[in-house]
Amino acid sequence: MLARYRVSYTFAELSDSGLIVYIPVLIICLTGNAAFPALPVKLADFTDLFTAFQTAVTNMGKNSNPQLTALRDEAREALLDAARKNGAYVQSVALNSLSTLLSSGYQNVPTQSPSSPLDIPTILSVTNNGTTQVALRLSPVTNAKSYQIQLSMDNGKTWTLAGAF
């Protein structure tokens, strides 16, 4: 069975400044890329949408107001819509070729690896962080997405969830 590759659309979750860094990579990688001759959003139009977004972000500066925010949001959505359309096209062309997909500048959705137990973190330090807070410094755990902190007031007989971070 052939591997199937999918374009990751996580770029839509990037901050404005993150998009301003990411989109030019797509434009550069797609320019003259023979694997993708019929992009649904032509590169000239894609570049114009990027420029409009970048201008809207710059105009907002530190003096945002509702109108400037709305203009930025509209420009962002138009740019993301174009990036998604081109991403769908890239995926359809590069379905069985990771190197072709990556040549577009888009990222691949990573394949799921089987779950395995995570290492138990070690508390490296505990610091008083105010009258009702403690700052914990933990050893990093490979593949951990978050940490769930529990505390015990009776030497480990019962545990209470203190938060997930």
Side-chain angles (χ1 to χ4, degrees):
M1 183 171 142
L2 290 174
R4 301 280 189 215
Y5 300 103
R6 296 182 300 134
V7 165
S8 170
Y9 293 103
T10 56
F11 59 81
E13 300 166 14
L14 292 172
S15 64
D16 291 344
S17 58
L19 268 182
I20 288 172
V21 171
Y22 181 74
I23 297 297
V25 171
L26 296 180
I27 293 169
I28 290 166
C29 290
L30 290 169
T31 299
N33 191 327
F36 309 107
L39 291 167
V41 179
K42 303 295 179 216
L43 285 175
D45 296 333
F46 195 38
T47 301
D48 290 345
L49 290 167
F50 171 69
T51 302
F53 171 67
Q54 193 173 26
T55 300
V57 169
T58 301
N59 288 343
M60 273 192 59
K62 293 182 181 176
N63 301 319
S64 65
N65 64 50
Q67 182 182 12
L68 290 176
T69 301
L71 289 170
R72 190 266 330 258
D73 292 348
E74 291 166 3
R76 180 182 173 92
E77 284 309 310
L79 179 62
L80 289 175
D81 185 51
R84 287 182 189 107
K85 286 177 182 175
N86 282 348
Y89 170 72
V90 164
Q91 179 174 305
S92 70
V93 170
L95 190 60
N96 298 318
S97 173
L98 181 59
S99 62
T100 302
L101 187 150
L102 295 175
S103 77
S104 70
Y106 285 96
Q107 298 299 309
N108 180 47
V109 173
T111 57
Q112 296 293 327
S113 59
S115 296
S116 62
L118 298 175
D119 295 332
I120 296 173
T122 304
I123 297 175
L124 300 175
S125 67
V126 178
T127 308
N128 184 355
N129 198 27
T131 58
T132 61
Q133 295 181 351
V134 172
L136 295 175
R137 187 166 161 251
L138 306 173
S139 61
V141 176
T142 304
N143 295 325
K145 301 270 188 239
S146 64
Y147 292 89
Q148 183 182 61
I149 307 299
Q150 298 178 355
L151 59 94
S152 175
M153 303 295 236
D154 57 8
N155 290 328
K157 292 179 185 172
T158 60
W159 292 90
T160 303
L161 179 63
F165 306 92

